[in-house]
Structures are given as C-alpha cells and as structure tokens.
Amino acid sequence: MSNLIFSVMTQSLTFLPLSLAISISYSILRATDMTLDGSFVLGAGVFARLITQGCSPPLAGIIALFSGASCGMMVSLIQRGGKVDPLLAGILAYFILVSANLAVMGKPNINLLSQTTLLSSAFSISELTGWSVVACYSIAICIVTCLAINSRFGLILRGLGDNPALLQRLGKNIETYRLAGFAFTNLLSAASGCLTAQTVGYADIGMGFGMTLTGIGAIILGQQILRFFIKKSAPRIVFEFTACLIGVFIYFLAINGLLRLDINPVYLKMVLGMILILFLRTAVNPNLSRNVT
Amino acid sequence: MKNTILSIENVALKIPGVEKNILSEINYQVEENDFIVILGSNGSGKSSLLKLLNHHYQPTSGKILFNSHTIKTLTQNCHESLFTSLTVLENCYLYSSDRKKNPNYFAEYIKKFNPNLELKLNQKVEKLSGGEKQALALALCVLHPPKILLLDEHTSALDPKSAQKLMVLTQEVVAQHKITCLLTTHDLDIALNYGNRILALRNGKILQIIDDKNSNLNQDSLLAACY
C-alpha cells in the first residue's frame, strides 16, 4: 500500500505544473488550450536533446521552459483578433508541434538514463533524495504560479477570461495579456515535461498525447471532491489549485489502482475515460459553484 | 452661457439589410452638464442614437461633432459592464487605475451607491441582486468620472422601487461629478421627473424637443412618443 501511495505521489509531483497550466487555461483564461500537449513534449524534447549535445543542465532547463513559452505565444498569435476559434487555434498549434517536436528531438525517443541532468546527482544518492528535489521544484513552481495569479497580472488574466470586451474598453491590451497568459501556461507545461523526462529517464514524442483532456478531467474530478467537503466560502485561487492537487492525486491513484487490479493496459484509458465522463456529467450542476468566491 | 460639447448635425443611420432608416434628420446639440432624457417606444431609434455617440455605429450621413471627451456607457444589461465571475473588490481593482487604493477606500466609495455592497466586497458579482449589480456598474462607471455618460435604459430590468432608487442615485452622481448625461427610456415618468431636457423620438425622427420642462411641455406629444 505504501508503495502505491509513493508511486502515486511521485507521478503527481511531475504532473503538477502541467495541471496548474491546464487549470489556468481552462478555468481562468476559459480556453481549452490543446497546445499544452505539444509544449509538454517540447519541454522534454528540447531538454533531452540539449543534454545529449553536452549543454549544461540548468541552461538546458531554462531553454526548455522558454521553448514552451514560445508555443503559447504561437497559439495566441494564431487566434489574434478573434480570427481563428481558440480551440481550433490550439489544435492547429498542436498539429504544427507534432512535426516541430520530431524535428527538435531528431528521433522519436531520447534516452537520458546515462546523462547528467538536474536530478541525476540527487537520484544517485537515493531515490527519496531525488524525489525530494523533484518535490522542491514542483512546490517552487506552485508558489511562483500562485503569486503570479494573485498579482495584478493574474487579476487581469481573470478579467480577460471573464469579459474580454470590457477589459479592452478599460484600456488594457487584451492581445498582449492573452499572449502572456498562454506563454505562462505553456511554460508551466514545458516545465512539467522537463521534470517528467528527467524522472522517467527519457523523452518520447508520444508522452504528451491526451494530457490536456486528461488534466481537465482530473481538475474537474478534484473540484467535485473539494466542493463536497468545503462547506464555507473559499478564495477562488486556493480552491482551483487545491482542486488540481486532489484531482491529479486521485487520477494517478485510479491509474495505479486499475493496473494493480490487472486490468489490461489496452483498456486502461477507456476505463479512465468512462470514469471521467461520469464526473463531467455530474459537473454540470450550477449549485456546485456555491462555495467559491 | 453653457458650452456645446456634442453636436449632432443632420444625422441619418441605415443598417445593411434593414430597408428603412433607423434614424433620419437628427439635429441636436448637447451642452455641458445637461441631463437629457431620450424618450421613445421600442424601435424609435433611441438606443441606436446612443450607439452612434459611443462609436458603435458610424452615421450613414450627417456628422457628430465631439470635443475629445471621455464617454462611458451603461446599458440595461449590466453584465456588459462587470466581470461577473470576479468579486466586487476585484472589479474595483480592475476599474481603478490607482494601484495604491486599498479595500477600505473601495468599501467607503461603494457604500455610497448601495450600503449592501460594502458587506459584499468579497462576493462574486454574479451572486448580487439585479439592483446591486446596476448600482455597482454605475459606481464603477463613475469611479473615474467621464465627461459624458450614456445610460441605455439602465433601470429597465429592475423592479419599480429599485429603479426609482437607482434613478435618484444617478441624478445625484451626475450632479456631483458634473457629468453630461444622456439617458434613454420609454417611461414618461422618468422623462418628466429626471433630467433637465427631453428629446422625444418616433420612428427614427425627432418628435419633440423640450429644453425647459416648465414652459413648453406638451404631454400628449410625449405620451405619443412612448407608444
């Protein structure tokens, strides 16, 4: 049992920045940004390629993050001026990124097991030390994200998701804020990809497939559970991010639980999808938002 | 003598796909600190006139002369003027250009418009009542007072008591900040009780102009504008 919990926690830690990105994109910017799938792989791919080329791990990490941010800028520029539907823009950007990721990586899979990464020295001491460092990275990313969303910049992003026309009338350049918002979420996604590549020991072209939709499902699942327990009013940002934590943990618990029940891996995503559909169906209850301010 | 701050000269408006003119032969001058009530039934062209003034439409012919004044609009759908998923306080922060203002400042400011709002600073706007939302929208509109305020039937979604409260509040705010105000309505009582000038429209044309409500008031003509 403790093995199961440990495994779930470690998987959740690397997924956490991506889930925050999905939460900001879905709940705050009110956009289903499919690019997050692509920038997750790009973050992992750029980091792995640079490491194998002899680049220093910190520099490779920074470049990987900014490559993710550039994906966000790309999707924002595609939908600039409302000429392309946001969902379609995300799908198109993801479509482009499939090729771009392959071009960056040079091959579908890059092995990192024999390379020096940001985490390799910590993992060489012990697995627990390694995961503690991963936890530090994830927590630091969470704190920075919370501070950003609680700042005036975050408030404007929330205003942008709520009523872009009014925000524009108030003199804010909504295209600039949209660009910054998507760059930020895709940077988080790339950070998640970067962490995942280092913990699993490879970057793979297919590792981001379906991540965004899975993440949205996990977040909704977390929100459902949190709303069941929270009886008093809770600040929105705290609620959204706690829902992320819970949702991601439950999601990986479900995956690991199903695998331990010897479910054929072929049917794993189908079963998970059905569970998520159940939660999505129950999410369309307006009373569920009563406790969030 | 008052300054003319807005001049409408022989303006006509035609919208593609609509056969007849929405507005035609509109000549009118707005002077500083005027509170003008534009009276007319549905389809008389009063909202279209406001949309011309806030640049939503361009006149088909004629011209509208402005000085470079700030113009703000409040419509019957206050959701257009509010961030409904954000709290009252967050709305204040987004409207305010001064980042140093604190919650106490906004609490003091907003309670002048509706005392309940002071207690609901951290509540989402979508959970406020209709009257509270309109009071908040008005408060935010005049947080940085514009030179010209356009009110498009902003009380029409409220019950009579709330509507009256909001009208009294509007009159006070407009007088206090010396705002020039143009308000549309189909309610004759509002036209007679508030504002200092009346512009009655019918079928897109001016039916009657009343510059002094005490001297040349033809109530029958005004009543005709309402139906």
Side-chain angles (χ1 to χ4, degrees), chain A residues 29-43:
Chain A
L29 292 170
R30 309 266 173 96
T32 309
D33 183 13
M34 304 298 288
T35 329
L36 295 172
D37 279 11
S39 50
F40 180 84
V41 182
L42 189 67

Side-chain angles (χ1 to χ4, degrees), chain B residues 8-66:
Chain B
I8 305 167
E9 294 178 5
N10 208 23
V11 160
L13 175 68
K14 194 172 188 318
I15 293 175
V18 180
E19 202 172 296
K20 65 172 193 174
N21 277 4
I22 305 286
L23 290 168
S24 51
E25 297 164 34
I26 305 290
N27 287 289
Y28 197 67
Q29 295 208 321
V30 179
E31 290 171 350
E32 206 168 10
N33 302 337
D34 269 348
F35 190 142
I36 297 162
V37 179
I38 304 170
L39 184 69
S41 59
N42 290 341
S44 61
K46 49 190 194 308
S47 295
S48 300
L49 182 57
L50 289 199
K51 283 178 182 170
L52 274 173
L53 300 182
N54 70 10
H55 306 291
H56 190 84
Y57 293 146
Q58 291 299 317
T60 315
S61 64
K63 53 187 174 182
I64 299 171
L65 302 173
F66 286 97

Side-chain angles (χ1 to χ4, degrees), chain A residues 30 152 155-156 158-159 162-163 166-167 169-170 172 236 289-290 292-293, chain B residues 79-87 90 93-96 99 122 124 127:
Chain A
R30 309 266 173 96
R152 188 167 176 88
L155 180 61
I156 294 172
R158 283 183 281 150
D162 185 287
N163 193 342
L166 174 59
L167 199 68
R169 286 210 305 273
L170 291 175
K172 303 284 188 291
R236 185 175 167 194
S289 61
R290 67 192 183 279
V292 186
T293 56
Chain B
H79 288 190
E80 289 174 11
S81 307
L82 296 168
F83 298 98
T84 51
S85 72
L86 305 188
T87 65
E90 286 170 338
Y93 280 131
L94 279 175
Y95 263 86
S96 171
R99 296 179 187 196
N122 292 313
K124 267 186 181 179
K127 290 180 183 169

Side-chain angles (χ1 to χ4, degrees), chain A residues 31-181:
Chain A
T32 309
D33 183 13
M34 304 298 288
T35 329
L36 295 172
D37 279 11
S39 50
F40 180 84
V41 182
L42 189 67
V46 166
F47 182 81
R49 183 69 191 263
L50 287 172
I51 289 290
T52 52
Q53 299 289 316
C55 182
S56 79
L59 183 63
I62 290 166
I63 294 172
L65 296 189
F66 282 100
S67 67
S70 66
C71 294
M73 291 179 192
M74 177 175 72
V75 75
S76 170
L77 291 172
I78 292 173
Q79 57 178 283
R80 191 178 178 89
K83 287 181 181 153
V84 179
D85 177 74
L87 180 62
L88 189 60
I91 293 168
L92 286 171
Y94 175 65
F95 193 63
I96 293 166
L97 280 174
V98 173
S99 292
N101 288 341
L102 256 178
V104 165
M105 290 168 71
K107 52 187 176 180
N109 190 296
I110 299 175
N111 193 332
L112 284 172
L113 287 172
S114 57
Q115 304 289 338
T116 304
T117 67
L118 289 166
L119 303 171
S120 55
S121 55
F123 272 103
S124 66
I125 298 167
S126 74
E127 202 177 1
L128 191 65
T129 314
W131 284 112
S132 303
V133 175
V134 176
C136 288
Y137 277 122
S138 281
I139 291 165
I141 290 169
C142 283
I143 291 169
V144 170
T145 307
C146 279
L147 291 175
I149 295 300
N150 267 320
S151 67
R152 188 167 176 88
F153 167 72
L155 180 61
I156 294 172
L157 286 190
R158 283 183 281 150
L160 176 66
D162 185 287
N163 193 342
L166 174 59
L167 199 68
Q168 193 162 30
R169 286 210 305 273
L170 291 175
K172 303 284 188 291
N173 187 334
I174 60 168
E175 298 297 348
T176 305
Y177 280 101
R178 185 178 286 131
L179 187 132

Side-chain angles (χ1 to χ4, degrees), chain A residues 159-215:
Chain A
L160 176 66
D162 185 287
N163 193 342
L166 174 59
L167 199 68
Q168 193 162 30
R169 286 210 305 273
L170 291 175
K172 303 284 188 291
N173 187 334
I174 60 168
E175 298 297 348
T176 305
Y177 280 101
R178 185 178 286 131
L179 187 132
F182 281 122
F184 184 60
T185 53
N186 281 275
L187 182 144
L188 288 174
S189 175
S192 199
C194 198
L195 275 178
T196 305
Q198 291 175 80
T199 52
V200 297
Y202 62 88
D204 188 87
I205 194 74
M207 67 196 293
F209 183 70
M211 283 288 198
T212 306
L213 293 179
T214 307

